[in-house]
Amino acid sequence: GVNHGYTCEAGKWGHEQLQHPDRLYYPRLTENGNTYELGWDEAIDQVAEAFAHHQGDKFAALVTPDATNEEAYAVQLFTRAVMRTNNVDRHLNEAQIAVERASKASLGRDVSHTHNLQEFFTDIKSTLVVGPSATSTTKVPSYWLYHSRIYREAKTVVISEDNYPLGWRAEVWLRPKPGTTTTLLNGIARQIIDLGFAAGEPATAPGYNQWLESLAGYDLDRVVAETGCEAAKIKRAAAIYATGGTEKPGDGNPASMIFNTAAHIGKPELGHRADDATDVTLACNNLALLTGNFGRPGGGVLSSRGPANYQGVTDMGATPDLFPGGESVGNDAARARFESAWLRHWATRARTRNGFVPVQSLPATQGKTISQMIDAIDAGEITAMYIEGTIAGKEAAINPRLLDALDKLEFLVVADLYDSPLAKKADVVLPLASSLEKDGTFTSLDRTVQRVRAAIPAMGEAKSSLEIVTQLANRMGYDLPSRPAGSVMNEIAQLVESYGGVNYARLERGGLSAPVTSFADPGASILTTGADGFATINPSFIPVAR
């Protein structure tokens, strides 16, 4: 697919994961200090009866961004239609949250890549790479950065404190002092204006005009003094990016892409950084607007997030404020549409005790983000949670504040592949199937929906989140039929406009770039800016490898 035969990082180097010594094979219950394995029926009974005490905003769920689209859809459906709360979010670190916030603020929606990875082979002529090492943070996409340099003679500007090969090979490598990356980006923007390289069309994105006015304070002397970068390099970086690598004024220059890795700022394995991921991302987006690089082949902004299916899990509504497809939970028309599809599965009465009742209407108030969930646990407002473990059970991927807070919950269920730090705190642990053991879809960094196929049977009695949530919902009186992942995608296509043209038959012929609104729609390889922010779709350009 989009990786031209290369597997992802975990697939290429993670062969030990399936039979890792810490792999979980059977459900596990911890009670009164004792831990023992139990069968699935008994485990589901335990979870259902316990969750019945916590219906409403006392409950919360966290979805791993490594889940399939179908799994994420099922978990958020369970949270909203069975537990009646919008307290659902993804495992995200502070930098990832900051990049998401900035994307929504400046572009109107959260997308990891506004263009398509295939453009590295067909259209990329110039790339501005900003943030921690692209090689360390986005291994497979970084291959294509080098590919575009070797085979397309694309020029590269690197802005990074990290000492890595792309910086050595770049036409310009700028290493700003810690905490000054945003100042440097704004200084480059000021130079683009002073050199006469700014686009003629004014942008209308939120906050853009205020940013434009602020550039008056970023004269070259100030930027050199604050960042420690050379004036000549700053000017050349501005010229390369603004002209698509030609460094010549005038119309007809190719587009330039920004490769933003700010979501990886401050990761423990990469060292501490003082840059603010929100400000860096806003500056990157505004630079693309200033130069007219949205909507042009070879342009746009790529904001890598890390997890395999961040984009898909976000699209599927694993967010506290948005339904699948990005409509607000406060939107009456959208809520009515989802109520019609979801609430008809309820029986006349719930099958659990403890005052648990069928949901009559979906909650209209925004739920809590992962950061707010932690505060709510500390305050005793959230008392039970369902949490999916992060990839490979890596402790570094788990919010340390969350780990500390979990001991205060009355009941915790963790679905995980491994006996991770999360699993060790759970009352009930449910063994989770890996991506090699289940069917579904992922939506890649560049919004390409692709099939995930089970290569081997699940180890032990591990199950996918889709199977787990289906069993749990049925045990609680919500009649959710047991169905394959393809059937779930058919339901998603009926309810989510941006996935309206996705089904497994089409995916057998190749990936589809979301938004893809109908079966006649080839998909949107490029998203362009519109009057109301970043919402207009340009489906006319379909990259073809050559």
Side-chain angles (χ1 to χ4, degrees):
V2 297
N3 290 341
H4 289 264
Y6 285 82
T7 58
C8 65
E9 177 186 350
K12 189 173 180 66
W13 292 286
H15 303 294
E16 76 283 354
Q17 293 182 4
L18 288 175
Q19 299 183 45
H20 193 278
D22 292 337
R23 184 74 195 269
L24 296 170
Y25 297 106
Y26 306 100
R28 188 176 76 195
L29 173 67
T30 299
E31 193 174 43
N32 299 322
N34 299 313
T35 299
Y36 52 91
E37 292 178 348
L38 67 167
W40 269 102
D41 289 343
E42 186 179 356
I44 293 297
D45 285 346
Q46 290 275 354
V47 174
E49 286 300 328
F51 278 176
H53 286 283
H54 307 275
Q55 191 178 30
D57 289 337
K58 294 186 293 183
F59 177 82
L62 283 176
V63 181
T64 172
D66 301 299
T68 65
N69 291 329
E70 293 78 5
E71 289 178 306
Y73 176 82
V75 174
Q76 66 83 32
L77 185 156
F78 174 81
T79 304
R80 291 183 164 113
V82 179
M83 297 305 295
R84 202 180 185 277
T85 180
N86 285 317
N87 292 342
V88 58
D89 204 355
R90 301 132 298 161
H91 281 287
L92 299 176
N93 61 41
E94 293 302 322
Q96 289 168 332
I97 294 170
V99 173
E100 177 184 53
R101 181 169 56 243
S103 295
K104 287 181 177 179
S106 62
L107 304 178
R109 60 191 296 178
D110 181 30
V111 289
S112 300
H113 189 10
T114 61
H115 285 51
N116 195 287
L117 287 174
Q118 308 310 307
E119 293 173 32
F120 280 109
F121 302 89
T122 59
D123 293 282
I124 295 290
K125 293 299 292 181
S126 171
T127 307
L128 173 63
V129 185
V130 182
S133 165
T135 306
S136 299
T137 60
T138 52
K139 288 182 171 60
V140 175
S142 74
Y143 298 167
W144 314 142
L145 276 170
Y146 291 100
H147 187 284
S148 67
R149 285 188 53 79
I150 296 169
Y151 296 105
R152 294 190 53 76
E153 300 180 349
K155 292 185 178 179
T156 311
V157 174
V158 173
I159 298 176
S160 180
E161 300 172 44
D162 290 349
N163 186 351
Y164 72 108
L166 188 64
W168 312 339
R169 293 167 170 81
E171 277 66 31
V172 178
W173 180 18
L174 298 167
R175 301 185 72 180
K177 296 175 183 177
T180 64
T181 297
T182 303
T183 299
L184 179 56
L185 289 168
N186 289 339
I188 289 174
R190 168 69 182 271
Q191 287 305 303
I192 288 172
I193 295 172
D194 290 349
L195 294 170
F197 290 139
E201 294 295 324
T204 57
Y208 175 77
N209 289 328
Q210 294 91 321
W211 171 80
L212 205 58
E213 293 172 3
S214 73
L215 295 181
Y218 289 90
D219 59 88
L220 191 57
D221 290 340
R222 173 197 168 184
V223 174
V224 168
E226 291 188 11
T227 66
C229 297
E230 297 175 26
K233 286 187 175 182
I234 295 174
K235 284 186 174 182
R236 192 178 179 208
I240 290 175
Y241 174 70
T243 64
T246 69
E247 304 182 60
K248 298 176 181 178
D251 297 331
N253 285 323
S256 290
M257 189 194 73
I258 295 179
F259 197 113
N260 171 23
T261 62
H264 304 273
I265 287 173
K267 280 196 170 183
E269 64 270 26
L270 298 176
H272 174 73
R273 284 174 174 77
D275 287 315
D276 184 275
T278 299
D279 292 341
V280 170
T281 301
L282 287 171
C284 286
N285 294 343
N286 286 332
L287 258 180
L289 290 166
L290 176 68
T291 52
N293 272 314
F294 284 121
R296 300 171 62 200
V301 176
L302 182 157
S303 301
S304 68
R305 308 302 170 85
N309 197 31
Y310 169 89
Q311 186 64 58
V313 169
T314 302
D315 291 346
M316 291 301 105
T319 57
D321 57 336
L322 302 174
F323 284 122
E327 294 178 281
S328 171
V329 296
N331 183 311
D332 293 339
R335 193 167 60 256
R337 188 171 76 254
F338 285 105
E339 285 176 346
S340 176
W342 293 346
L343 300 188
R344 59 187 173 84
H345 293 287
W346 275 107
T348 55
R349 59 180 296 274
R351 294 178 190 150
T352 53
R353 300 185 297 273
N354 310 314
F356 186 76
V357 296
V359 174
Q360 302 298 319
S361 61
L362 295 177
T365 55
Q366 179 176 321
K368 291 180 171 59
T369 64
I370 181 171
S371 299
Q372 293 168 335
M373 287 178 189
I374 296 169
D375 295 334
I377 294 170
D378 288 335
E381 297 168 3
I382 289 178
T383 53
M385 290 189 73
Y386 175 89
I387 300 179
E388 292 178 341
T390 57
I391 188 169
K394 291 180 181 176
E395 189 166 0
I398 303 170
N399 189 311
R401 286 185 58 224
L402 175 66
L403 272 180
D404 292 340
L406 292 179
D407 291 328
K408 300 177 183 179
L409 291 172
E410 294 179 19
F411 193 73
L412 172 63
V413 177
V414 171
D416 208 340
L417 279 75
Y418 307 98
D419 194 14
S420 65
L422 280 174
K424 294 181 186 301
K425 290 181 175 287
D427 296 288
V428 175
V429 178
L430 304 176
L432 197 60
S434 76
S435 59
L436 289 174
E437 300 167 337
K438 60 192 175 188
D439 286 317
T441 56
F442 278 174
T443 303
S444 72
L445 171 67
D446 65 353
R447 299 171 288 104
T448 303
V449 185
Q450 298 186 105
R451 283 279 279 112
V452 176
R453 297 174 177 84
I456 58 172
M459 294 288 179
E461 294 184 1
K463 297 181 183 296
S464 69
S465 287
L466 178 58
E467 295 174 293
I468 293 171
V469 167
T470 298
Q471 288 191 16
L472 186 56
N474 277 287
R475 174 61 182 77
M476 301 179 81
Y478 184 81
D479 187 18
L480 192 61
S482 180
R483 50 189 175 165
S487 177
V488 178
M489 178 51 71
N490 290 341
E491 179 177 314
I492 293 168
Q494 293 173 3
L495 293 171
V496 179
E497 182 182 6
S498 57
Y499 282 68
V502 178
N503 67 14
Y504 280 23
R506 290 191 77 188
L507 294 178
E508 289 297 327
R509 298 191 290 272
L512 294 166
S513 296
V516 50
T517 57
S518 72
F519 295 129
D521 185 353
S525 293
I526 296 178
L527 301 179
T528 64
T529 53
D532 297 322
F534 198 69
T536 305
I537 301 167
N538 174 11
S540 61
F541 173 71
I542 308 297
V544 177
R546 58 180 182 266

